[in-house]
């Protein structure tokens, strides 16, 4: 550990003992997990972020770098375990999509309140239109980086290619934020001053988005219920449209 990092570590420990150091309510939880179980905690945090996209990787990954700068583990361990968590989370969602299949997933979407078959269909159409590269590039887009694994599983994308693209995309994304956090390790106080505000803004943004989305869906569903000409699409119809589109796409490539 360099003298500067050691100084920052000592200052951080001293501040922590007086209760002054805080990375925000979410950041404190993440750092506590990482410090308790080591770099595996980084993998667990990133794995959870994959399954629950509102958890921001932009917060988790720099904190992994900060914790590494504090000497709990090396930055390379933070990077490797973060990427392991990313790949495992993506594979789980891929497996979910492959296990459910198109027809079952569409029927579940039709059954869930406030969820439309059209939402699932649009996501799958987007994946289809832009191809497998969406898995690589999508790993660097917040929220979408998790959801893209589901249509990849439905389409039964080559598993090795999916894993490779996920590994590369996640590795690039994780490297940027982990090393940024590690580099800022000496100046942890500059970030900790704003981490609580950031965490609260994330929470507020998630709550506002969910409230807005639910309200918009409820109002739209009421309008549709009053429209005598509106006939909701069935899951089987959506599946038939999607399969016809896929057949046309495959035919066009030949």
């Amino acid at each position: 550990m360099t003298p500067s990092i050691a100084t920052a570590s000592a200052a951080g420990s001293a501040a922590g003992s007086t209760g002054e150091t805080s990375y925000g309510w979410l950041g404190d939880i993440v750092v506590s997990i990482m410090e308790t179980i080591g770099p595996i905690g980084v993998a667990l945090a990133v794995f959870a972020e994959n399954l629950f996209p509102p958890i921001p990787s932009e917060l988790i990954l720099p904190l992994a770098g900060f914790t590494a700068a504090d000497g709990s583990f090396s930055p390379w361990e933070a990077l490797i375990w973060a990427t392991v968590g990313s790949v495992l989370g993506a594979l789980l969602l891929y497996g979910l999509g492959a296990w459910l299949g198109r027809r079952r997933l569409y029927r579940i979407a039709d059954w869930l309140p406030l969820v439309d078959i059209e939402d699932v269909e649009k996501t799958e159409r987007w994946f289809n239109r832009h191809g497998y590269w969406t898995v690589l590039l999508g790993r660097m887009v917040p929220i979408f980086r998790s959801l893209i694994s589901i249509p990849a599983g439905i389409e039964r994308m080559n598993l090795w290619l999916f894993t490779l693209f996920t590994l590369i995309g996640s590795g690039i994304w994780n490297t940027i934020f982990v090393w940024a956090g590690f580099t800022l390790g000496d100046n942890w106080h500059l970030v900790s001053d704003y981490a609580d505000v950031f965490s609260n803004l994330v929470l507020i943004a998630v709550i506002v988005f969910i409230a807005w989305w639910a309200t918009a869906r409820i109002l739209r569903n009421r309008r549709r219920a009053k429209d005598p000409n509106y006939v909701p699409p069935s899951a089987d119809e959506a599946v038939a449209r999607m399969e016809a589109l896929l057949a046309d796409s495959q035919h066009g490539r030949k």
Side-chain angles (χ1 to χ4, degrees), residues 118-131:
E118 292 100 316
D119 296 332
V120 182
E121 190 174 356
K122 286 177 182 177
T123 302
E124 195 173 2
R125 284 176 180 269
W126 196 91
F127 174 80
N128 235 330
R129 184 179 305 116
H130 298 285

Side-chain angles (χ1 to χ4, degrees), residues 102-103 106 121 123-132 151 154-156 238-254:
R102 181 176 295 109
R103 189 172 301 277
Y106 278 49
E121 190 174 356
T123 302
E124 195 173 2
R125 284 176 180 269
W126 196 91
F127 174 80
N128 235 330
R129 184 179 305 116
H130 298 285
Y132 290 172
I154 293 175
E155 297 293 338
R156 298 299 178 95
V239 169
R241 281 196 304 269
M242 199 66 229
E243 289 178 347
L245 175 65
L246 291 173
D248 290 341
S249 298
Q250 292 174 354
H251 180 73
R253 296 190 188 106
K254 294 180 180 179

Side-chain angles (χ1 to χ4, degrees), residues 87-100:
V87 173
L88 290 179
L91 287 173
L92 180 60
L93 293 175
Y94 175 97
L96 180 64
W99 175 68
L100 287 175

Side-chain angles (χ1 to χ4, degrees), residues 107-125:
R107 287 177 176 171
I108 291 175
D110 191 29
W111 172 76
L112 290 174
L114 303 180
V115 176
D116 282 344
I117 295 175
E118 292 100 316
D119 296 332
V120 182
E121 190 174 356
K122 286 177 182 177
T123 302
E124 195 173 2
R125 284 176 180 269

